Amino acid sequence: MIRKFAAELIGTAVLVLFGCGAAVLGGFNIVGQLGIALAFGFAIVAMAYGIGPVSGCHVNPAVSFGAFVAGRMSAKDMLVYWVAQFIGALLGAFILGMIAKTGFAQLGQNGFEAGSPGGYSLQAGMIFEIVATAIFLIVILGVTGRKGHGAFAGLAIGIALAVIHIVGIQVTGVSVNPARSFGPAVLVGGQALSQLWLFIVAPLIGAAIGGVLFRLNLLEPEA
């Protein structure tokens, strides 16, 4: 379990550093929305093949929760993963803040209404985060299942995350990952921290939906 803890911590730190780093150090004027989306997707692909054999590369509390709901993970292991993921996200955001010219004022934090890149409402943000996370979990649980395409799992998951970002960056900055939102919000504080609840609650609801679909065998392939 120590190896899994270390893998999840490092993997989540890398996701936040590279994904949020593309937004903060590159931004819309340099790498653009597509570049930021690809940074998140490529970071997941890299970590999936790097640490996947150790921990499965969840690097996301919602993914671990969805796996638990689907019956693929114990509650004890899920809690260990959560601790590693939240610490990793905080570490990744801290490293980014030490590099960025803006320091800890801008770390790619998520938000709605005034905190939304496109000025989207709380309702829009809630709907997007729930639906996108559910879809993300369906991809993950499907491709890693007993009849999934294991060798291509990391690629499929990374592409899914990139597409979710292409669609949703203007809505909330895209979370679908409570840890990814937690790290930047804690260090930025203020509005980002006050809106953090949405990016914990909505992804967990979406993950539960995805997990239940597999728990009930509605999306499991026939034996």
Side-chain angles (χ1 to χ4, degrees):
M1 185 53 74
I2 292 176
R3 291 187 180 90
K4 292 180 179 180
F5 183 93
E8 287 297 307
L9 189 154
I10 292 170
T12 312
V14 170
L15 175 66
V16 171
L17 177 60
F18 286 175
C20 296
V24 175
L25 305 179
F28 291 106
N29 294 330
I30 299 176
V31 300
Q33 183 163 322
L34 178 60
I36 297 169
L38 291 177
F40 276 100
F42 288 161
I44 280 292
V45 172
M47 287 296 98
Y49 293 108
I51 67 170
V54 180
S55 69
C57 188
H58 291 191
V59 299
N60 181 340
V63 172
S64 300
F65 183 60
F68 166 71
V69 172
R72 298 188 188 179
M73 187 177 207
S74 70
K76 179 181 177 181
D77 286 353
M78 179 186 71
L79 292 175
V80 172
Y81 273 46
W82 279 7
V83 173
Q85 291 155 0
F86 281 111
I87 293 174
L90 196 58
L91 175 62
F94 179 78
I95 294 172
L96 177 57
M98 295 295 288
I99 297 170
K101 291 180 179 179
T102 53
F104 297 99
Q106 175 56 254
L107 294 175
Q109 59 269 26
N110 298 118
F112 53 87
E113 295 175 348
S116 162
Y120 284 80
S121 67
L122 168 60
Q123 178 181 340
M126 176 71 80
I127 293 171
F128 173 78
E129 291 292 334
I130 291 173
V131 173
T133 308
I135 293 171
F136 193 40
L137 262 293
I138 289 170
V139 172
I140 293 171
L141 295 174
V143 79
T144 59
R146 61 177 180 268
K147 288 191 176 182
H149 303 283
F152 297 99
L155 186 59
I157 294 167
I159 290 174
L161 187 61
V163 171
I164 287 170
H165 277 78
I166 290 172
V167 173
I169 282 179
Q170 290 298 315
V171 182
T172 60
V174 180
S175 172
V176 301
N177 182 339
R180 169 262 182 271
S181 300
F182 174 83
V186 168
L187 296 179
V188 171
Q191 176 179 268
L193 190 57
S194 70
Q195 295 186 349
L196 177 61
W197 66 270
L198 173 65
F199 305 106
I200 294 175
V201 173
L204 291 180
I205 293 174
I209 293 171
V212 165
L213 292 175
F214 282 85
R215 184 79 179 215
L216 298 178
N217 293 317
L218 294 177
L219 295 180
E220 288 283 8
E222 293 183 3

